[in-house]
Amino acid sequence: MSVEDEKQKVFQGTPSEDVRLENLGYEQELKRSFGLVGMIGFSFSVVTSWTALSGVFIVGVTSGGPPVMVFSFLAVSLLTLAVAIPMAEMCSMYPVAGGQYSWVAALAPPKIARGLSYVTGWFMLIGLLAMGATNNSITSNFVLGMGNLIFPEFEIQRWQTVLVAYLVAFLSAAVNLWGSHFLHRISKAILIWNVTSFVIVTATILAMNDHKQPASFVFQDFQNGTGFSTGMAAIIGVLQACFGMCCYDAPSHMTEEMKSASKEAPKAIVLAVILGAVTGFAFLVALCFCIGDIETTANTSTGVPVIQIIYDSTGSKVATCILSSLISVIVIVAGNNVLAEGSRSVYAFARDNGLPFSKFFSKVESKTHVPVNAVLLTLVVQLALDAIEFGTTTGFQTVIAISTEGFYLSYAIALFSRLAGYYTGHVTKLDGPYSFSVPVSIALNIIGLLFLLFAAITFNFPSENPVTHESMNYTSAAIGVVALISGITWITTGRKHFSGPGAVSFLNGTNTATQNAVEADAQCENEKKT
C-alpha cells in the first residue's frame, strides 16, 4: 500500500469523527453537540466584523479617513480568504482542538516541526487569552457608554471599566462551566440575533440620519491626523480592517465538539469570514456616511464613538440604548465563545504537555465533559490582562494589539509550515474532505502568508507622531516577552515533555500518523476474524 493510499485511509475512510480523532492519537473526551449552523453562529459571533470595527473605528478615521477604511477593508477581506481557505484545508485534514500548532507539527519538516509547533502554541494561546480580555473590555465600554449617555454627569473611570469587564468574564466562565450543554443552542440563536441586529442598526442609522456626509467624504477625501506622512497614515489605517477580520480559526478549536468536524468546521471557517466581510463592509460604509464632527465623535464622553454616531443619527437616547444593547448582547456572547475557544486550546496544549502542570490543566470533568481547569486558567489570565487597565490605558492598548498579533503570527507559522512541507516533499497534498488542487492551495498559502507578514510587521507601528511614552506601540516588546517565555519554557520543560499531537509526533523525526492508522486497521481486522 502506498503512502498516499494509507493517508487516504487515515483521513477519509474513517466511519466517524471519534475514530478519526483516535487515528490522530487522541481519545474523545469532549461531547460532540455542534452542527454546521451552530458552529457558523459560534464563529461569526467571534469574528463579527461589523461589531469589532465599532471598537477601532476612530483609528481608521484619523489614519487615512473613510476612503482608506472602506477600500482597505475590501482588500483585507479578500486577503483574509486567502488565509482562511488554506486553514480550512488544514482543519479538514487534522480536526483537533489544537488548531494551528497541531497543523504545524503535522506539516512542517520533521527537523523543525516540534519546536515550531511549540512556539506556535504559545502565540496562539496569548492571542486567544488577550482577545478574551479585549472583548470583555469592549463590552464594558458599551455598557458604561450607555450609562454616560443617559446620565451625562456620570464620568467613566478606568476602575469601573475593569470591574464591569470582570463581570462579563465571570458570566462567560459560569456559562462554560455549568451551561456548556447549551453552547450549541446559544450559537444558533446568536446567529439569528447577529444578522437581525446588523440589519436593524444599519438600516436605522441610515434612515434617521439627516446630516449624511457626501460621497466624496466616504470614497475620496483623505484624512490624516496622525502626524505621519500620507503613505504611513494609510498603512496605519489598514490595521483597523485587520482587527475587524480576525479570530476566524474558532471552529478549529471546537472540532472535538462537532458532529462532522472534518467536513463542517472548514465550511464554518470560510463562511464566517464571508459573513464578516459582507456585514463589516456594509456597516463601515453606513458609519462613514453617518459620522458627524470627527473630533467630537473621537472624544465622546461615552468612550464609544459608535454610540455617539448612533445618537447623532437618531437624536434619541432611548433608541441609541436599544440599538447599542443589540450590539452589546453580541459582544457578551462573543466573550463567552472566546472563553470556550480559549479553554479548549489550553486543554489541547496541556494534553500535549505544552504547559507547566499540563496533567492538571488537561483534565476533563467526566459528567459534564468540560475541561474545568482549563476554563478556570483561561478566566484567571483574562482577569489579569484586564487588570492592566487599573494602572494604564496605554498598557491595555498593548493587550489589544497583541491579541491580533498573536493570532496573525500563529496563522503565518501554519501557512509557512504548509509551504515548507510542500517544498521539502514532506507533505505535498492535503487529502481531507475539504481540499483544493495543489496549485490553488499553494498559491493561496503564498498570498496569505505575504499578507500576514505585512500585517504582523505593521502592527508594531505607533499610531501617531511625534511618538511619546503614551503613544508608543509596545506590541513588539510584548511579543518579545511571549517569545522569551516560550523559549525559557521550551528549554526547561518543553524540550523534554512536549509531545506534539500524538499521531503526528516528530520526537524522533518521523510521522507516525499513518503507522498508527495501519495498526488500528490491523487490530480491527483481527477482531473481525475472532
Side-chain angles (χ1 to χ4, degrees):
M1 183 181 291
S2 69
V3 173
E4 291 300 323
D5 289 338
E6 289 175 340
K7 285 182 179 178
Q8 187 79 4
K9 195 171 185 179
V10 173
F11 297 111
Q12 289 188 314
T14 53
S16 72
E17 293 296 336
D18 289 357
V19 176
R20 188 187 303 275
L21 186 64
E22 184 179 350
N23 286 343
L24 287 168
Y26 297 112
E27 177 185 353
Q28 179 65 42
E29 296 183 284
L30 307 178
K31 185 177 180 180
R32 295 189 184 275
S33 57
F34 277 93
L36 178 59
V37 175
M39 188 47 61
I40 292 174
F42 182 98
S43 183
F44 183 43
S45 71
V46 175
V47 176
T48 313
S49 298
W50 73 279
T51 55
L53 289 170
S54 302
V56 291
F57 181 71
I58 287 299
V59 174
V61 170
T62 59
S63 305
V68 171
M69 295 165 64
V70 170
F71 294 116
S72 67
F73 188 81
L74 283 176
V76 167
S77 296
L78 292 174
L79 290 169
T80 297
L81 279 174
V83 178
I85 291 174
M87 287 174 58
E89 283 189 292
M90 299 177 205
C91 182
S92 180
M93 187 77 167
Y94 309 105
V96 292
Q100 296 94 296
Y101 86 85
S102 300
W103 308 336
V104 171
L107 299 174
K111 290 183 178 179
I112 63 172
R114 187 164 163 260
L116 201 59
S117 171
Y118 187 79
V119 172
T120 305
W122 273 98
F123 279 124
M124 177 191 75
L125 286 182
I126 196 61
L128 279 164
L129 297 172
M131 185 59 73
T134 299
N135 191 89
N136 297 339
S137 181
I138 290 175
T139 308
S140 178
N141 289 336
F142 266 96
V143 172
L144 294 174
M146 287 186 282
N148 173 266
L149 181 68
I150 298 299
F151 304 103
E153 67 278 6
F154 168 57
E155 186 176 346
I156 301 172
Q157 304 293 331
R158 285 203 304 267
W159 64 268
Q160 296 166 338
T161 302
V162 176
L163 292 183
V164 175
Y166 277 6
L167 178 62
V168 176
F170 282 120
L171 176 63
S172 298
V175 173
N176 273 271
L177 290 173
W178 297 294
S180 60
H181 53 291
F182 291 121
L183 282 179
H184 66 290
R185 296 175 183 173
I186 293 173
S187 297
K188 290 179 182 178
I190 199 62
L191 177 61
I192 298 172
W193 181 283
N194 205 331
V195 175
T196 303
S197 298
F198 158 72
V199 173
I200 292 174
V201 174
T202 306
T204 301
I205 62 174
L206 286 174
M208 297 189 69
N209 188 289
D210 59 2
H211 54 273
K212 294 183 181 67
Q213 297 285 354
S216 59
F217 173 83
V218 178
F219 300 109
Q220 294 180 9
D221 297 346
F222 189 91
Q223 309 282 338
N224 186 2
T226 64
F228 288 109
S229 64
T230 300
M232 185 65 179
I235 290 174
I236 296 172
V238 171
L239 298 182
Q240 180 234 27
C242 293
F243 183 84
M245 292 298 287
C246 188
C247 313
Y248 40 87
D249 60 317
S252 69
H253 304 296
M254 303 297 292
T255 49
E256 294 177 35
E257 294 170 67
M258 293 186 69
K259 297 175 182 177
S260 300
S262 57
K263 295 180 180 179
E264 295 182 345
K267 295 177 184 177
I269 291 174
V270 175
L271 287 173
V273 171
I274 293 173
L275 276 173
V278 173
T279 56
F281 178 75
F283 190 59
L284 185 60
V285 171
L287 289 179
C288 290
F289 271 110
C290 295
I291 191 173
D293 180 72
I294 293 177
E295 284 295 322
T296 302
T297 304
N299 299 312
T300 173
S301 61
T302 66
V304 184
V306 169
I307 291 180
Q308 187 65 47
I309 293 174
I310 295 174
Y311 178 62
D312 290 343
S313 298
T314 62
S316 167
K317 292 184 177 181
V318 174
T320 300
C321 287
I322 292 174
L323 296 180
S324 298
S325 295
L326 295 178
I327 298 175
S328 298
V329 170
I330 297 170
V331 184
I332 289 172
V333 175
N336 175 72
N337 292 347
V338 171
L339 192 143
E341 175 192 359
S343 64
R344 273 48 170 191
S345 301
V346 169
Y347 153 75
F349 202 48
R351 181 176 59 182
D352 290 327
N353 298 306
L355 294 174
F357 311 105
S358 285
K359 188 175 181 180
F360 177 77
F361 292 119
S362 62
K363 285 183 179 180
V364 175
E365 210 282 321
S366 58
K367 292 184 179 179
T368 60
H369 302 283
V370 173
V372 173
N373 296 336
V375 171
L376 293 176
L377 176 61
T378 303
L379 171 65
V380 169
V381 175
Q382 285 188 7
L383 296 178
L385 292 175
D386 279 321
I388 293 175
E389 195 165 5
F390 272 131
T392 168
T393 302
T394 303
F396 190 72
Q397 292 299 322
T398 301
V399 174
I400 297 174
I402 200 175
S403 64
T404 313
E405 181 87 334
F407 276 109
Y408 273 54
L409 287 175
S410 68
Y411 297 167
I413 298 174
L415 267 63
F416 167 79
S417 297
R418 168 71 176 112
L419 293 173
Y422 172 76
Y423 286 111
T424 60
H426 174 58
V427 179
T428 57
K429 184 180 180 181
L430 298 182
D431 292 320
Y434 185 94
S435 59
F436 291 81
S437 65
V438 173
V440 173
S441 177
I442 296 302
L444 289 173
N445 270 269
I446 293 173
I447 295 171
L449 179 59
L450 291 175
F451 161 63
L452 291 171
L453 292 176
F454 164 80
I457 292 171
T458 52
F459 279 143
N460 296 280
F461 295 165
S463 59
E464 60 183 49
N465 190 42
V467 180
T468 65
H469 70 281
E470 292 184 352
S471 63
M472 177 63 185
N473 188 336
Y474 296 97
T475 304
S476 56
I479 290 295
V481 171
V482 175
L484 181 62
I485 293 173
S486 65
I488 292 174
T489 54
W490 171 256
I491 293 172
T492 55
T493 59
R495 185 172 54 182
K496 295 180 180 179
H497 303 294
F498 179 62
S499 60
V504 283
S505 174
F506 296 111
L507 287 171
N508 299 313
T510 56
N511 187 332
T512 60
T514 303
Q515 178 185 348
N516 287 353
V518 172
E519 290 175 355
D521 291 336
Q523 183 179 355
C524 290
E525 290 296 327
N526 291 333
E527 291 175 354
K528 288 179 181 178
K529 290 178 181 179
T530 57

